Amino acid sequence: MNLEEQAFAQEFIRLATDGDARGWHERNGGNLSYRLTAAEIEACVDCFHNTAPWNAIRTAVPVLGGAFFLLTGSGKCMRNVRFAPAENTGIIEINAAGNAYRLVWGLTDGKPTSELPTHLAVHALKCTGGKEGNRVIYHAHPAHLIALTFILPLDDALFTRELWEMDIENPIVFPEGIGIVPWVIPGSEAAAAATLEKMRSYRVVVWAHHGTFVCGDTFGDTFGLMDVLEKSAQICGEIIAMGGKRQTVTEKNLRDLADMYDLKLNEAALSANSELEIGIKLCYTVHK
Ligand code: 13P
Ligand code: ZN
């Protein structure tokens, strides 16, 4: 079986295709990485070459020593991934010390995503001693979420609370809330460091005026998480455009939901008062 036919590669391609269909990947916007399991590395090892040079990783990731990642290339488009996986994606190997990587498959005329520092920093945080989970990290440019970062205060609790109110499933899907990073230079070590800090508490980090990073155990979980966030942001934007809320989901409603579903909801988001702190009172006439 060739590498592109492996189940993990097929799921990677499906996520890239679905994200493109949602309109989250204009031009080369967004990127995706997946940490292979030991069995997947074993199944693919005959497809790997060992001729590419090692490249230094500026902020070493010792915990990822010996790991392999399938990822999108810099400047490559999600819409092309399904047509030419080996041109638009590649597999990198991390050396034993976790301070260098080399290409072992694919990206025939390219290099890994410019957001590699953030992907590796978050993988290092989320991979806990070979645990099966948290293998997928996905960055997209969903328009409604980006738009909200021009309107809502860049505050984790307020952003979380607004999105929770938009869809009853949301407190169940991301009970821990979401993190917001103020504008950062794309591809920078500073962006990676800021994202890492927020990812210590969350699985979702929104980069103001740019896009969103999410991580998940499976490709399906990861795509679903991006999807609920973006749909909720769309509803929120429509409410703002309609002149604001006249009624909404209350703190008590959310606490009742938490009791029923045994959720540990982010306390700061639960008690956030969007009416007072939203900063766009003219639009918002909230009666809770
Ligand atoms: P890459 O093409 O290098 O992955 O960059 C796209 C992007 O969205 C940067 O934030
Ligand atoms: Zn981006």
Side-chain angles (χ1 to χ4, degrees):
M1 186 193 284
N2 79 25
L3 194 143
E4 296 160 30
E5 288 163 6
Q6 295 281 330
F8 74 89
Q10 288 294 310
E11 287 192 65
F12 187 105
I13 292 167
R14 181 178 173 203
L15 191 154
T17 305
D18 289 350
D20 175 56
R22 287 283 201 275
W24 301 339
H25 299 293
E26 76 292 342
R27 198 172 180 272
N28 64 306
N31 25 75
L32 175 63
S33 65
Y34 170 74
R35 180 168 55 90
L36 276 69
T37 65
E40 288 160 348
I41 297 168
E42 181 73 33
C44 294
V45 80
D46 289 344
C47 302
F48 295 162
H49 55 75
N50 61 3
T51 49
W54 289 99
N55 302 279
I57 298 171
R58 264 175 287 166
T59 307
V61 281
V63 71
L64 297 180
F68 288 73
F69 295 92
L70 174 60
L71 38 70
T72 49
S74 187
K76 305 295 187 185
C77 306
M78 292 287 183
R79 66 189 284 264
N80 293 335
V81 165
R82 66 186 181 280
F83 300 115
E87 277 171 37
N88 294 289
T89 73
I91 293 181
I92 59 166
E93 173 187 8
I94 310 292
N95 68 354
N99 59 13
Y101 74 87
R102 66 176 174 183
L103 200 59
V104 296
W105 177 86
L107 282 175
T108 43
D109 66 344
K111 56 181 187 183
T113 170
S114 60
E115 301 295 2
L116 190 62
T118 296
H119 282 262
L120 290 182
V122 177
H123 275 296
L125 173 75
K126 298 287 185 181
C127 101
T128 41
K131 184 176 163 279
E132 278 312 298
N134 285 314
R135 292 184 175 275
V136 185
I137 296 180
Y138 180 32
H139 169 54
H141 294 179
H144 299 284
L145 265 173
I146 296 170
L148 277 191
T149 67
F150 290 87
I151 294 292
L152 296 186
L154 301 178
D155 176 90
D156 298 1
L158 284 173
F159 237 95
T160 299
R161 175 59 183 269
E162 284 305 315
L163 295 183
W164 276 354
E165 288 180 20
M166 299 298 118
D167 184 333
I168 193 63
E169 292 293 322
N170 284 353
I172 300 169
V173 178
F174 50 96
E176 69 282 359
I178 71 171
I180 312 293
V181 167
W183 188 87
V184 279
I185 298 176
S188 64
E189 302 291 329
T195 311
L196 181 64
E197 266 323 295
K198 296 286 181 180
M199 281 289 187
R200 292 186 198 286
S201 312
Y202 310 114
R203 284 173 301 137
V204 176
V205 173
V206 176
W207 284 2
H209 324 317
H210 177 158
T212 305
F213 270 86
V214 299
C215 66
D217 292 345
T218 66
F219 287 96
D221 283 352
T222 311
F223 182 83
L225 184 52
M226 191 72 82
D227 209 13
V228 296
L229 289 161
E230 176 59 350
K231 178 157 185 193
S232 304
Q234 181 175 9
I235 297 169
C236 195
E238 286 181 11
I239 291 169
I240 293 168
M242 289 171 183
K245 305 170 196 169
R246 296 190 63 81
Q247 55 274 324
T248 191
V249 179
T250 65
E251 180 177 343
K252 177 166 186 326
N253 295 153
L254 291 167
R255 289 195 186 279
D256 289 346
L257 183 79
D259 283 347
M260 170 96 180
Y261 288 92
D262 201 20
L263 305 173
K264 194 169 166 1
L265 293 181
N266 178 317
E267 201 46 52
L270 266 176
S271 50
N273 184 341
S274 55
E275 184 179 14
L276 291 177
E277 298 175 43
I278 206 75
I280 47 169
K281 261 192 192 160
L282 279 181
C283 289
Y284 272 62
T285 311
V286 182
H287 300 289
K288 295 194 177 182

